[in-house]
Amino acid sequence: MASVTAFLASPVGARFAVRATLDGGASTVAAVSGASVLVKEEAKVRLLRVEEKKQRLAPLWDDGYGRRSVQDYFVAAKDMCLSDGGPPRWFCPVECGPPFKDSPTLLFLPGMDGTGLGLTLHHQALGKAFEVRCLHIPVHDRTPFEGLVKLVEEAVKFEYALSPNKPIYLVGDSFGGCLALAVAARNPTVDLVLILANPATSFGQSQLQPLFPIVESLPDELHVAVPFLLSFIMGDPVKMASVNVGNRLPPAKKFEQLSYNLTALLPCLPELANIIPRDTLLWKLKLLKSAAAYANSRLHAVRAEVLVLASGKDNMLPSENEARRLAGLLQNCKVRNFKDSGHTLLLEDGIGLLTIIKGTCMYRHSRMHDLVRDFIPPSMTEYRYAMDQVVGSFRSVTGSVFFSTLEDGKIVKGLSGVPDEGPVLYVGYHMLLGLELISLIDEFLSEKGIALRGIAHPELFMPKVESMSSEFSMFDWVKIFGGVPVSASNLFRLLSTKSHVLLYPGGAREALHYKGEEYKLIWPDHPEFVRMAARFGATIVPFGAVGEDDIADFVLDYNDLMKIPIVNDHIRNMNRDSVNFRDETSGEVANQNLSFPVLLPKIPGRFYYLFGKPVRTKGMDKMLKDREIANKMYLQIKSEVESNLHYLLKKREEDPYRNIVDRKIYQIFYPPETDPSPSFKP
């Protein structure tokens, strides 16, 4: 079987596994507890968990996304349905593997199919971060909704008794969303995190309601066509077939792979008739009706943290409208819309479920979310998706080139002069709109395998950002790639974990500078980071980045926009609600009279980066008590950054490939094996 039901790998699953008496489709499940065999098995399981991998995931780790497809779902479902008797039960997918120590538990609650295989595409990735268990409801099982609620509730209470300080995740797909909400409403004191994919709480408003009476009256010989038709209504076959089609393939190869996948997928769709036979379908429709009514009547009692994933092309349920309704009724609810996805969101091509959980800051090990401890580095899939689908050809257009300084002061191309071991604090100039960040993060990941932890403006993590857009946006990707809100405590904890930290002393004021302030450092008047770095013996690397004036010209800055009626009122309202974490003693950098400028794009030039000679603070304990020594170090770092900027501005005039046209011509006539980004000689 493609997804072995390894019951003994799960404490709750073990309880079902030892159940020798299966009452042929009985609607109730006898609870077995207190047996000595269970205690022994539980001890073995916990011992195995302790012996799991000791190291944290490295950046660009393999999350396995795209390795399994919807065909694998159908193969596993077919095997599971061949001898599918007994009551509902839990299983641990073998593909998940052992999670890291102290990982929270994730319970998957299936949709109408009941197989529990709805996370097939996500098993390997989720298995690194969670102890994954999936609920399987056999084809001929007729357990009423209240019975299923009690079954899940039993598992939740069992996990809560074992680890009361860890959250328990309930991922509910469609019908499973009603189940998750019902359990949460009955257990308000348990720390639950609900991930609801197109929850069926809107079943009463389903577009298919007029067709259900027809389905009930269809003769058996015609029912075989119903699941086949439902498969096209519930999901997009093209998106299902696109799961393992590489984004970087040439268009002809993409089309060829997609055609092959579609050809292999379509014969699998009739298998739905075995997964959901006529009697089961009619039972599931009644179950959905009672589930929606039960969950909706108890929404007021839900105290859990909730994330609703809504598809824009859900032909079965009005999921986007339902997501907005739930967000208004639930106390702690976020929404992410996926406009191109169908009802079977979790079985279609797109962003992985773990990525969504990370991007919405909902992954945590304890009751309080910890952006340092709970951080999971970006996987290779996330890295490629972000660079290909989110920022697109930005790196290619800007032709970014990097230089670094060795210990002897020699400037070389690449990042060989940058330390490999942390803690390291990178301090530099924040280019207009922070445009340098994309290439910076890309280069460190691809060349050094280092995930930079950027100290970001707190606004990016405020609830009002949620209200700006419910799409999975750039704000979410900032969190996936390691951004944390600026604070002394976050810097302290990042350096204490030997992280590579990216800090811009000029902050938002520097990134949203006015006309005439290009490449001007707008830093605080007093040192804010030097003594913190010295406390942990961190290496400080000053760097400069230039190129903003090579891609756009200023048209209107803050001062210009404030002269325009209506526009100035909008800017005042935005700045009035902004978070100001610096006082006037910090100087001009504390000025929060900011707005996004109006720019005129130009034929792109090039971005240049220079990392200066690393400054070691190890052994400089005097700096912790002597402010004068710390201030001298601060001024030295600032001077180094200014020198790097001046160096790049001067040397870029010698670059024969500064213009994008010249670079593209070079790439046409020279093979990829040669230097893909020739530039000036340092």
Side-chain angles (χ1 to χ4, degrees):
M1 186 179 293
S3 184
V4 180
T5 55
F7 299 108
L8 291 181
S10 158
V12 180
R15 303 173 83 171
F16 287 108
V18 299
R19 197 173 286 114
T21 304
L22 300 178
D23 190 15
S27 61
T28 58
V29 181
V32 178
S33 60
S36 59
V37 64
L38 288 177
V39 176
K40 293 177 181 178
E41 291 297 342
E42 179 63 21
K44 291 179 182 177
V45 169
R46 293 302 173 190
L47 184 60
L48 288 173
R49 297 303 187 196
V50 172
E51 296 301 322
E52 65 194 347
K53 297 177 183 177
K54 300 296 182 183
Q55 297 297 322
R56 275 290 180 187
L57 287 169
L60 305 185
W61 56 281
D62 179 14
D63 62 8
Y65 190 79
R67 193 167 295 144
R68 297 181 66 79
S69 66
V70 181
Q71 290 97 296
D72 295 302
Y73 162 83
F74 280 109
V75 170
K78 182 179 180 180
D79 290 345
M80 191 172 279
C81 293
L82 287 177
S83 56
D84 202 17
R89 49 193 179 268
W90 299 96
F91 70 93
C92 296
V94 171
E95 302 88 14
C96 290
F100 287 109
K101 186 178 181 181
D102 296 327
S103 293
T105 297
L106 183 149
L107 304 178
F108 175 64
L109 312 178
M112 277 185 65
D113 64 312
T115 61
L117 298 169
L119 296 179
T120 294
L121 307 183
H122 312 273
H123 281 163
Q124 186 171 333
L126 291 173
K128 298 293 185 183
F130 298 97
E131 293 202 31
V132 180
R133 292 157 202 166
C134 305
L135 177 63
H136 173 64
I137 305 173
V139 171
H140 301 292
D141 179 75
R142 297 296 181 262
T143 304
F145 184 71
E146 290 83 355
L148 294 174
V149 170
K150 291 178 181 178
L151 175 69
V152 178
E153 188 175 51
E154 178 191 289
V156 166
K157 289 181 176 179
F158 186 86
E159 288 298 327
Y160 180 68
L162 289 174
S163 305
N165 297 319
K166 289 198 298 185
I168 300 169
Y169 286 72
L170 300 181
V171 177
D173 182 16
S174 187
F175 166 75
C178 296
L179 200 51
L181 286 167
V183 172
R186 290 163 58 105
N187 297 273
T189 59
V190 179
D191 185 12
L192 294 174
V193 180
L194 274 53
I195 315 293
L196 312 178
N198 298 320
T201 44
S202 62
F203 181 70
Q205 288 75 48
S206 171
Q207 300 92 307
L208 303 182
Q209 281 289 344
L211 300 179
F212 294 147
I214 300 175
V215 172
E216 293 179 8
S217 61
L218 277 177
D220 290 348
E221 52 269 20
L222 294 180
H223 173 77
V224 69
V226 174
F228 186 79
L229 294 174
L230 278 177
S231 66
F232 286 93
I233 295 172
M234 295 175 68
D236 183 351
V238 175
K239 288 210 60 140
M240 289 181 178
S242 300
V243 170
N244 58 353
V245 178
N247 290 320
R248 298 187 176 185
L249 291 175
K253 285 286 186 184
K254 275 187 180 181
F255 182 77
E256 179 183 341
Q257 183 67 47
L258 179 60
S259 300
Y260 175 83
N261 289 353
L262 270 173
T263 304
L265 174 63
L266 291 177
C268 296
L269 298 181
E271 186 60 35
L272 283 170
N274 296 323
I275 298 173
I276 314 177
R278 183 177 186 276
D279 291 345
T280 299
L281 177 60
L282 297 179
W283 166 254
K284 290 291 177 70
L285 292 177
K286 294 178 182 177
L287 200 61
L288 276 169
K289 186 176 180 180
S290 63
Y294 189 103
N296 281 318
S297 67
R298 291 163 174 78
L299 292 178
H300 63 278
V302 176
R303 301 289 182 270
E305 189 178 2
V306 182
L307 171 64
V308 181
L309 312 180
S311 295
K313 294 183 179 179
D314 189 341
N315 296 319
M316 186 173 179
L317 298 171
S319 292
E320 286 189 316
N321 292 337
E322 182 64 6
R324 285 192 290 270
R325 185 182 78 92
L326 291 175
L329 293 174
L330 298 173
Q331 297 181 17
N332 185 8
C333 181
K334 298 178 182 178
V335 173
R336 287 297 179 272
N337 290 325
F338 299 88
K339 59 182 180 180
D340 296 322
S341 296
H343 185 70
T344 52
L345 173 66
L346 300 175
L347 286 173
E348 297 180 10
D349 185 38
I351 302 173
L353 181 58
L354 180 60
T355 304
I356 296 170
I357 294 172
K358 289 164 56 181
T360 51
C361 286
M362 297 191 72
Y363 182 72
R364 51 189 174 88
H365 291 84
S366 58
R367 286 188 175 270
M368 295 297 294
H369 186 233
D370 187 329
L371 285 167
V372 176
R373 178 175 179 258
D374 296 330
F375 176 66
I376 299 176
S379 68
M380 180 59 77
T381 301
E382 291 167 341
Y383 166 73
R384 287 178 175 170
Y385 188 97
M387 296 305 158
D388 296 345
Q389 306 292 317
V390 181
V391 300
S393 58
F394 184 85
R395 176 76 190 270
S396 174
V397 168
T398 57
S400 302
V401 59
F402 289 77
F403 300 92
S404 59
T405 308
L406 303 179
E407 292 288 350
D408 60 3
K410 181 182 179 181
I411 297 175
V412 296
K413 191 175 182 183
L415 298 178
S416 57
V418 172
D420 294 317
E421 300 296 327
V424 181
L425 185 62
Y426 303 90
V427 183
Y429 169 70
H430 214 355
M431 204 185 287
L432 182 65
L433 301 179
L435 292 173
E436 82 285 352
L437 281 167
I438 295 171
S439 298
L440 192 62
I441 292 169
D442 183 2
E443 187 73 9
F444 268 80
L445 280 170
S446 58
E447 183 177 332
K448 302 285 286 186
I450 292 174
L452 294 176
R453 304 301 308 275
I455 303 292
H457 198 284
E459 293 279 352
L460 299 179
F461 301 83
M462 299 295 287
K464 69 178 181 180
V465 171
E466 289 288 327
S467 63
M468 294 174 61
S469 173
S470 58
E471 303 287 335
F472 200 82
S473 67
M474 185 65 78
F475 297 117
D476 298 314
W477 287 103
V478 167
K479 298 158 191 171
I480 290 169
F481 280 85
V484 298
V486 58
S487 71
S489 61
N490 280 337
L491 181 58
F492 179 96
R493 293 166 65 245
L494 284 170
L495 293 177
S496 68
T497 55
K498 298 186 176 181
S499 301
H500 289 250
V501 185
L502 180 61
L503 176 67
Y504 293 103
R509 177 61 182 85
E510 202 167 79
L512 297 174
H513 57 252
Y514 308 154
K515 289 179 180 178
E517 293 182 337
E518 295 86 353
Y519 308 122
K520 174 186 175 183
L521 298 188
I522 308 174
W523 286 20
D525 293 338
H526 51 80
E528 295 181 334
F529 59 85
V530 173
R531 289 195 295 168
M532 185 76 79
R535 181 186 181 94
F536 295 99
T539 300
I540 301 175
V541 180
F543 73 93
V546 304
E548 63 182 67
D549 55 340
D550 258 5
I551 62 170
D553 288 324
F554 255 112
V555 178
L556 300 172
D557 66 2
Y558 169 81
N559 295 319
D560 298 321
L561 292 170
M562 289 302 291
K563 297 174 184 177
I564 304 174
I566 300 177
V567 174
N568 53 19
D569 290 336
H570 178 68
I571 294 174
R572 287 192 193 97
N573 290 334
M574 288 188 63
N575 287 332
R576 187 180 300 117
D577 298 332
S578 64
V579 177
N580 193 349
F581 54 91
R582 286 186 170 117
D583 56 32
E584 295 179 357
T585 61
S586 298
E588 176 59 23
V589 71
N591 181 3
Q592 293 296 305
N593 292 323
L594 305 172
S595 70
F596 288 97
V598 178
L599 304 174
L600 180 65
K602 57 198 292 188
I603 297 175
R606 197 167 205 179
F607 283 5
Y608 301 86
Y609 300 76
L610 173 59
F611 292 84
K613 184 178 178 180
V615 178
R616 314 286 178 182
T617 65
K618 193 171 183 178
M620 296 185 177
D621 298 334
K622 291 182 179 180
M623 197 183 302
L624 298 175
K625 298 180 180 179
D626 194 324
R627 290 183 176 272
E628 186 175 345
I629 296 177
N631 193 57
K632 286 182 180 179
M633 173 70 77
Y634 178 73
L635 294 176
Q636 176 192 340
I637 300 297
K638 185 177 181 180
S639 177
E640 285 287 332
V641 174
E642 290 174 331
S643 297
N644 291 341
L645 292 172
H646 294 152
Y647 175 89
L648 292 173
L649 290 171
K650 179 181 178 181
K651 294 292 288 185
R652 72 176 179 176
E653 301 297 333
E654 305 173 12
D655 185 1
Y657 301 103
R658 179 177 171 183
N659 186 279
I660 188 174
V661 177
D662 296 323
R663 291 198 301 275
K664 294 304 176 184
I665 292 174
Y666 175 89
Q667 291 170 6
I668 291 172
F669 288 100
Y670 290 88
E673 292 77 20
T674 59
D675 189 350
S677 57
S679 183
F680 60 79
K681 291 184 178 180

